[in-house]
Amino acid sequence: MKIAVFVSGSGTNLQALLDAEASGFFKSEIALVVSNKADAYGLERAKKAGKKTFFEGDGDLLDVLEDEGIDFIVLAGYLKILGEELLRRYRGRIINIHPSLLPAYGGKGMYGLKVHEAVFDNREQRSGATVHYVNETVDGGKILIQSSIDISRLRSPEEIQQTVIVLEHELLKTAVRFCEEGIL
């Protein structure tokens, strides 16, 4: 599969995918990294790895995806809602990583540290990460895989975030491999 990875920030999940690709963990090629933010550090990570990049303000995203022959899209810390046409063209071929055990703590406005703050404020004993297919409902697509961890001894949302990101990295690369093998 030729994959486009969409990022909005620092790109730690992107880096996990780049490392997995380089080590042969999956066979797919990360052919393009897309961001809706020109200053996203994820674009720098991509350039350092020799990957093509695209900032959404520089042209038509759908044309670029087609020109690059993209088969599959991975949202890895991408904070923009996808448009109807993109969702239609790539139906069943877009996955997202979310830093909670969906359906809990998902939906519009629930991303990054905001998720972990809500988990912490509600005194949850467990948290985790979820990879799901993307559809028109924010964080509402079919769940592919989840992983949870005991967070009862963690003392802040930041500690939860640091713990859950490790799960995110493992889940995301595993989801890509499962998708290319037809397991998910």
Side-chain angles (χ1 to χ4, degrees):
M1 292 187 307
K2 287 184 81 174
I3 297 173
V5 180
F6 287 33
V7 299
S8 291
S10 68
T12 61
N13 277 306
L14 167 64
Q15 189 64 57
L17 291 174
L18 292 167
D19 293 345
E21 177 188 31
S23 72
F25 185 82
F26 52 73
K27 297 174 188 166
S28 296
E29 171 195 0
I30 298 170
L32 181 67
V33 175
V34 173
S35 184
N36 61 318
K37 296 186 177 187
D39 62 348
Y41 187 69
L43 293 173
E44 291 303 312
R45 290 180 191 272
K47 290 173 186 171
K48 287 178 184 177
K51 301 297 181 182
K52 289 183 181 182
T53 61
F54 178 74
F55 165 60
E56 288 183 54
D58 289 340
D60 187 283
L61 175 60
L62 291 170
D63 288 345
V64 171
L65 294 172
E66 186 174 313
D67 291 347
E68 294 300 325
I70 299 302
D71 303 304
F72 198 79
I73 297 172
V74 177
L75 306 183
Y78 184 70
L79 302 179
K80 182 179 171 188
I81 304 300
L82 299 179
E84 288 179 25
E85 182 62 19
L86 180 64
L87 287 170
R88 187 188 64 72
R89 285 193 197 181
Y90 284 89
R91 185 160 309 283
R93 297 183 292 145
I94 306 173
I95 61 173
N96 180 50
I97 184 77
H98 186 77
S100 77
L101 297 171
L102 290 176
Y105 304 102
K108 192 170 183 177
M110 292 303 286
Y111 59 88
L113 191 58
K114 291 180 180 189
V115 172
H116 306 299
E117 288 169 345
V119 167
F120 184 78
D121 290 347
N122 286 323
R123 297 188 173 113
E124 299 287 354
Q125 299 298 300
R126 298 194 72 75
S127 191
T130 304
V131 176
H132 64 92
Y133 280 115
V134 175
N135 64 17
E136 294 79 10
T137 303
V138 176
D139 297 327
K142 178 184 174 190
I143 293 172
L144 301 175
I145 50 177
Q146 289 184 316
S147 183
S148 70
I149 191 163
D150 181 353
I151 59 165
S152 61
R153 295 185 180 165
L154 301 182
R155 297 180 177 194
S156 70
E158 292 79 10
E159 282 186 28
I160 296 170
Q161 184 176 45
Q162 291 167 0
T163 302
V164 169
I165 194 74
V166 175
L167 296 178
E168 289 183 49
H169 295 168
E170 289 301 312
L171 273 184
L172 195 53
K173 72 181 188 180
T174 300
V176 168
R177 185 155 103 190
F178 286 175
C179 287
E180 75 182 7
E181 292 174 356
I183 295 171
L184 296 178

